[in-house]
Amino acid sequence: MTYSKLNTLFGLTCGLVATLVYIATVEKTVSWWDCGEFIACAYKLEVAHQPGAPLFLLIQNVFSNLAFGNTAKIAYWMNIGSAICSGITVAFLFWTITAIGKKILKKPQQPTFSYYLQLFAAGTVGAMAFSFSDTFWYSAVESEVYAMSSLCTAVVFWAIFKWEARADQYGSDRWLIFIAFVMGLSIGVHLLNLLAIPAIAMVVYFKRTSQINLKGILIAFLLGLVVLAAILWGVIQWLVAFASKIDLLFVNSLGLGFGSGILFLCLLIGGAIVYGLFYSHRNRKYSLNTALLAFCFILFGYSSYSMVLIRGKANPSLNNNAPDNVFSFLGYLGREQYTREPLVKGPYYDSKAVDIKSKTDYRKDESNYTAFTQVDKYDFDRETFFPRIYSQDANHQAYYRSYLNLKDGEKPQFSDNFKFFFHFQLGEMYARYFLWNFVGRQNDKQGYGSYTEGNWISGVKTLDNWRLGGQHHLSESQQHDPSRNTYFFLPLLLGIAGAIWLYRHHKPYTLVLTLLFVFTGIAIVVYLNQTPLQPRERDYAYAGSFYAFAIWIGLGAIALVRFFKRFVHTPYALATGLSFAVLGGPIILLHQNWDDHNRSEKSLARDVARNYLETCAPNAILFTYGDHDTFPLWYLQEVEGVRPDVRIVVLSYLTGDWYMQQVKKPTYSAAGLPIAIPAEKTKKGIRDYIPFVDRQLNEAVDIQQLLQFVTSDAPDYKVQLNSGNLENYFPTKKVKLAINKAEVLQKNAVPAYFQDAVVATMEWEIPADHLSRSDLTLLSLLENNHWDRPIYFSNMLPSDIKLGLDKYLVNEGFASRLMPVAVTNEQQASAGEMAALVDVEALYDNIMHKYNWGNIKNAKYLDTDSFRFSSMYARDIFGKTARLLLENGQVKRAGEVAKKAYDQLPERVYAMSDAINYADIIDSLYRSGQGHLAGNIVDRNLNYVSQNMDHLHQLVLDQKNLGFEWSDMQTALDSVDRYRDILLAANDSKRLARVEGLRKQYQQWYGIE
């Protein structure tokens, strides 16, 4: 069999093995984060969040057809789509490694078994090591863009070596055209693939030049950057920006229809390309012809974005940013709803804004484009080059000061800026992720800089103890945590050996791989400029960098064989070197990572989404915030058709004029929101921001009057801003809504338990110093709903965006219902203060008859989001309900709820917060006569507390500078005190003695009373 056939066979085998592993561990339904939105948008070809991924959605739509109409299986088959893309990526990685190895290894006149074995073993080791690496495996088993994006990177990098091997043959440059086409296609998946361009430019330079020198390298590198910038900004954004100017001219000045300018520009560009191709071919200008073809194929690939415009025009139920014209499409591509991070110049975190710069933008109206002015950026009193500590968020500011050891009032300097960049952004937000993949991972808890969560770890105790402390006093939960993966530096050392071997034998390829590694790693760090306290780990953004390192891992297999050849004969060198490579690469990664990457038993995201919807009464309006309380819900409604009567409204999106108009329209069996504010009064550029100007009004203002005031166009109802413009304002934060009690009772807007608490007038105070479109929407809804439809707020919503309505929100489980009720002193005295804000009957019914819990009881592994939520549900759903039932004297029902928690929640303790969060469940089990079950939880939790407190105390003895760990210590102390009270009441003397012993020990350690 020829080398080519063997190479193809082994590459396909690696890809198939990886795919089968991914299929075996793939999530059976929707996952957390963006997956729910992507699955919903792919299934019905809707418009996902900016800047979109239309090609990804189109391809995933194909996989959805494999469900053959079974909507419950659509998410599974889209996850399989990611698994297959990931498997194909592994195959292309294999072929890339063998192409590089073949170029360097001297081919004997008669290829030997040793020659073939080294090449194919290198490809196998590198490809399979990457396939079982932490980050790539995680993305391979869910419907996210990163698996397909990695495939695009793998294809273009493989293709450049195919071109290089044939560069001297006629027609070889068709490979360059192919690369351009894949690059264009990748724009419709994710932009990460474009970062391979500088490395590709170097391959072209090294092949085309007759003499390699520093000047030529720098010129080639700069040309690669120019091409990257030309695509990233020129093709993707500036071309559309130019189209917007042309269309503006045709519509506003020439009086033609919308899109006429775009049509003209398309014909102009198409004609110019055709003429350029004809001219370059006739005059034998080969480079110009190739460049024009490449540009043409990039545009062909980029054309997948036409799906965004087509579907935006159709206005589906999920239509983010409503990109139905060139200006909204430009804003969609530019991610205008997201905050822009400063890159070249920007403020320090304590800088003060001194000026506002505005820009002119346009919106589509009935017959033309209308200009309006909006804030572009702020000028600050202190700015710096290369800003890294820039966020004005109070939590970020506190973190900056703590991380940089700056005192309150001490101004940060440029040196602090670079310290944060190197230590946090490069260290915590890249190097830590890199080492997760090739050295080991402590656990999958969110890392915020503590010694116990989210660190890289090797398994070499002496080194790990020096870095983190306490490694000789690990708890059982830490030792047996499925997400604790230790590789003993073996994949890292293998990659370093491959990099050194490559450098010694082929320096040009070393530069190529280094550029790929840096641009898909460190360059992204610079570009993202991430703030601290991220809501999730961001390792997925650097998968391309880990891909580049996997090539070095593969070459490390050859390096080991060559090393052992110095000491033993070839057969022994092959056996020894390749054994070390296989064990230190794919085998150890597969062995360590399988248990915490097997998501086949998980379904919590789907069940939690159903719980949100089932909390709502029929025809309800449910306000959510985004991500976990929105995207899985979209999936359930759009794909599985669950509770289509509930109108989901994302409050954080309502600041956009496009979304405010969308929520007025019905979706499926849910009517639109009854908002009476005319669309022309809240268009983009109109009432984007309504400031508060205190007019010293003593009494609360009726909602209707307030809305009339802030939506009036009369100059008397406006105030002059610093810019000189007259703008609407609101004169008081105190608002009220008159309540017709008879109407409320007739429409069953409150349960029987609260009927005596219905108020004549709802009064509250707006917390913010401005009103947004979101606030106007809520006010108009309250004015016009007349309690016809139940209004719910997700319990994940921050208080500051609920318009100050918190005191009228009655908790029913996963969401709270807005009711015109107030608590009487008698209710507070008889039922406890919390009972006033909780519908205990609704909670009990939801827990016992409606809610499901995603198999978290039996799943061998839960990801960080799942166990974080399960702990919160133990406290806020089960525990709170059981406690309130006890306070109402309903001991039996409290016991039923507590037993349900025992049967449904995980047996394993995942965090110190579990100990205190289970307290009410334990108390209810004891009081309801289920002491044996309560004892089981107490024993389990105390084992966790005592062992982990031993570990934390060892950190103190190791003189580690603890931060977030003190919170866990305090939680443990609170838990011990709470358990002491529960066990005293339950007369459980055996466990009480243990708790007293722990309490005494902690008193000695920390001097507490």
Side-chain angles (χ1 to χ4, degrees), residues 203-449:
V203 176
V204 175
Y205 166 72
F206 290 134
K207 185 63 180 179
R208 289 298 193 198
T209 188
S210 57
Q211 184 177 0
I212 298 174
N213 54 57
L214 181 59
K215 179 181 178 181
I217 290 174
L218 290 175
I219 291 174
F221 173 66
L222 291 174
L223 284 174
L225 291 181
V226 169
V227 173
L228 171 60
I231 298 175
L232 191 59
W233 287 290
V235 172
I236 297 176
Q237 293 195 39
W238 293 344
L239 189 61
V240 179
F242 183 62
S244 69
K245 302 300 182 185
I246 298 295
D247 206 48
L248 178 66
L249 173 67
F250 274 60
V251 174
N252 284 19
S253 299
L254 302 181
L256 300 177
F258 291 111
S260 56
I262 299 173
L263 178 61
F264 171 78
L265 182 62
C266 290
L267 293 175
L268 185 65
I269 292 175
I273 291 175
V274 171
Y275 173 77
L277 290 172
F278 176 76
Y279 169 81
S280 57
H281 177 73
R282 185 181 61 186
N283 293 279
R284 300 186 180 277
K285 295 185 179 295
Y286 187 78
S287 297
L288 176 61
N289 187 268
T290 304
L292 285 171
L293 279 174
F295 176 67
C296 187
F297 274 87
I298 288 172
L299 292 181
F300 283 159
Y302 185 37
S303 66
S304 66
Y305 264 92
S306 60
M307 173 254 190
V308 172
L309 282 166
I310 293 169
R311 297 300 293 156
K313 187 70 175 177
N315 196 22
S317 55
L318 301 183
N319 187 18
N320 198 300
N321 213 60
D324 61 351
N325 65 84
V326 67
F327 284 100
S328 59
F329 181 58
L330 182 61
Y332 182 82
L333 292 174
R335 296 167 57 90
E336 67 177 5
Q337 76 182 52
Y338 298 102
T339 304
R340 290 182 295 180
E341 294 79 13
L343 295 179
V344 179
K345 182 183 178 184
Y348 290 103
Y349 66 81
D350 62 345
S351 299
K352 306 299 181 184
V354 295
D355 192 18
I356 300 175
K357 292 188 175 180
S358 301
K359 67 175 182 179
T360 300
D361 204 346
Y362 293 86
R363 66 172 181 265
K364 178 186 175 186
D365 281 340
E366 291 299 322
S367 59
N368 62 358
Y369 293 114
T370 301
F372 65 92
T373 301
Q374 64 179 10
V375 174
D376 184 29
K377 62 179 182 178
Y378 296 89
D379 284 339
F380 294 87
D381 57 351
R382 292 183 71 224
E383 294 189 328
T384 180
F385 166 72
F386 195 63
R388 299 286 114 180
I389 47 175
Y390 60 89
S391 175
Q392 308 287 301
D393 182 272
N395 292 325
H396 295 164
Q397 291 177 338
Y399 192 96
Y400 289 142
R401 287 193 295 270
S402 174
Y403 196 87
L404 299 169
N405 295 317
L406 297 175
K407 299 176 182 177
D408 286 343
E410 183 179 356
K411 290 189 175 296
Q413 304 300 318
F414 186 71
S415 58
D416 296 314
N417 202 50
F418 260 82
K419 179 181 177 183
F420 188 79
F421 170 65
F422 284 108
H423 288 218
F424 180 82
Q425 292 186 333
L426 278 182
E428 296 291 322
M429 299 303 289
Y430 175 71
R432 180 168 64 100
Y433 298 147
F434 173 78
L435 295 171
W436 274 4
N437 283 271
F438 304 113
V439 174
R441 184 173 182 176
Q442 183 183 32
N443 51 52
D444 64 356
K445 294 180 180 179
Q446 181 83 20
Y448 293 117

Side-chain angles (χ1 to χ4, degrees), residues 117 561 564 569-581:
L117 184 59
V561 171
F564 284 111
H569 294 300
T570 299
Y572 299 106
L574 283 170
T576 307
L578 297 182
S579 295
F580 274 114

Side-chain angles (χ1 to χ4, degrees), residues 144-162:
E144 253 279 20
V145 297
Y146 300 103
M148 199 175 293
S149 176
S150 294
L151 174 58
C152 293
T153 301
V155 170
V156 298
F157 207 61
W158 162 83
I160 195 59
F161 290 110
K162 297 292 284 186

